[in-house]
Amino acid sequence: TVTQSFLNEIIRNYKDENSSSFDPNTINIHAKIPIHVHIVMNIKGLAGVNQENLSNSAGTANDYFKNAGIQFFIDSIDYINDHNYSFITFNNLKKELLTKYAIDNRINLFLVDSIKMGSIKSYGFTYFPDEADSNFIYLDKNYLSGNSLTTMLGHFMGLLSTHETWGGRELASGKNCTN
């Protein structure tokens, strides 16, 4: 969920947006961002994902981010051989995993078997960039294909969901985008 402080930052940045021209056709990749993948083994000792799944998911994200000059790449992969970490709840185990396994200066992608936010099952979570020490994404392995990683990377990079209404509802015409 977007915080008021992050929403204020977006509003400040939006005011500067029209002061420079932007042509997505002239963008070359200039930011290559490493992702360190932590695969938590399941109760049977199996990974539940393979490198092809990871590559395809990163490729899908790169298709969306290329016009912004951003490219993600799988820097390295490790396997966490403790299935107890494979069932994440929002306030349980995530901090312990980060303390034990997170690597600085890259996005830490933790692939687990189940994620719950309270009593609700979720496909993943991350934080917007205004949160300190938030260089991680938790993603349910079942959602590695498709756009789920792309969505989480978007939030990680500061993009709101299209259904976000914290700052108000945007009119379909775009008439109220400035406020």
Side-chain angles (χ1 to χ4, degrees), residues 81-157:
N81 290 311
D82 187 342
H83 70 274
N84 293 305
Y85 289 122
S86 198
F87 301 95
I88 300 297
T89 58
F90 184 70
N91 292 319
N92 184 30
L93 297 178
K94 70 176 177 134
K95 192 168 197 151
E96 190 173 321
L97 266 173
L98 291 171
T99 301
K100 286 184 170 183
Y101 298 103
I103 303 203
D104 291 338
N105 301 317
R106 53 202 24 75
I107 298 172
N108 287 275
L109 172 61
F110 289 91
L111 296 175
V112 299
D113 290 313
S114 177
I115 298 172
K116 280 191 170 182
M117 309 292 271
S119 62
I120 300 170
K121 189 166 171 47
S122 176
Y123 68 89
F125 71 89
T126 189
Y127 290 97
F128 290 108
D130 67 326
E131 295 287 331
D133 301 321
S134 59
N135 67 332
F136 61 86
I137 295 170
Y138 284 91
L139 188 65
D140 185 318
K141 295 173 191 174
N142 293 312
Y143 294 89
L144 186 58
S145 60
N147 290 327
S148 297
L149 179 60
T150 302
T151 300
M152 290 294 109
L153 288 166
H155 293 324
F156 183 92
M157 301 298 287

Side-chain angles (χ1 to χ4, degrees), residues 9-21:
E9 183 71 20
I10 289 172
I11 292 167
R12 278 192 298 276
N13 290 338
Y14 182 81
K15 290 176 182 172
D16 295 333
E17 190 174 302
N18 293 327
S19 65
S20 62
S21 62

Side-chain angles (χ1 to χ4, degrees), residues 16-30:
D16 295 333
E17 190 174 302
N18 293 327
S19 65
S20 62
S21 62
F22 176 75
D23 181 3
N25 296 318
T26 63
I27 296 293
N28 292 318
I29 299 295
H30 59 269

